[in-house]
Amino acid sequence: MSREELVALARSAAQRAHCPYSHFHVGAALVAGGKVYTGVNIEISSYGLTLCAERSALAAAYSDGAREVTEVAVACIDAPADAPLDLRTPCGACRQWLVDLAPHAIIYIDGDARDFTIEDLLPYPFRLS
Ligand code: THU
């Protein structure tokens, strides 16, 4: 699957986001063990317990037994076309999940042409091992 196809899957997943409070739809699509998994942000009335799209996709993959995550695409479809990276990039909590659960993945952010590593996004991360 190409980068463009994975980003397109993230964009289409974002349409299924449950975001009644922020109305900010986010989708993630990742490749792990040769399969593709998607996730969306899921908001609840206790806002702080919201689940981001990236963690949702990682949980789907790990729940299916997949472990080796090779690529992750993230799409914030409500960000304006000219919005800076800040409005599209994974939050701090998701970066820590990526460090722990997808340390070798290439990360694609819809609307930005660069390929990121988790070291790009979260230098000097906390690690137990
Ligand atoms: N959100 C994500 O899904 N991923 C991120 O990395 C950043 C933020 C969601 C959480 C919330 O539902 C909405 O975007 C606005 O913060």
Side-chain angles (χ1 to χ4, degrees):
M1 168 165 302
S2 69
R3 172 190 166 122
E4 289 68 31
E5 288 169 325
L6 198 64
V7 169
L9 274 180
R11 287 190 66 84
S12 103
Q15 289 166 17
R16 301 190 293 275
H18 180 68
C19 49
Y21 305 104
S22 74
H23 306 289
F24 192 77
H25 295 71
V26 186
L30 63 80
V31 179
K35 290 171 72 173
V36 175
Y37 300 88
T38 60
V40 301
N41 53 326
I42 300 170
E43 297 177 352
I44 63 166
S45 54
S46 183
Y47 302 162
L49 299 180
T50 288
L51 180 63
C52 290
E54 298 90 326
R55 283 178 280 150
S56 175
L58 285 165
Y62 270 69
S63 298
D64 193 41
R67 292 293 182 266
E68 289 303 313
V69 182
T70 53
E71 293 165 276
V72 179
V74 183
C76 296
I77 60 173
D78 297 314
D82 59 351
L85 188 59
D86 320 37
L87 257 188
R88 314 167 182 279
T89 191
C91 78
C94 290
R95 292 177 196 214
Q96 185 66 47
W97 269 57
L98 288 162
V99 164
D100 278 29
L101 303 178
H104 307 299
I106 305 167
I107 300 163
Y108 310 132
I109 298 175
D110 184 30
D112 191 297
R114 288 170 284 188
D115 291 351
F116 293 96
T117 64
I118 192 56
E119 285 81 13
D120 295 326
L121 300 181
L122 186 61
Y124 306 106
F126 174 71
R127 283 201 184 94
L128 267 185
S129 52

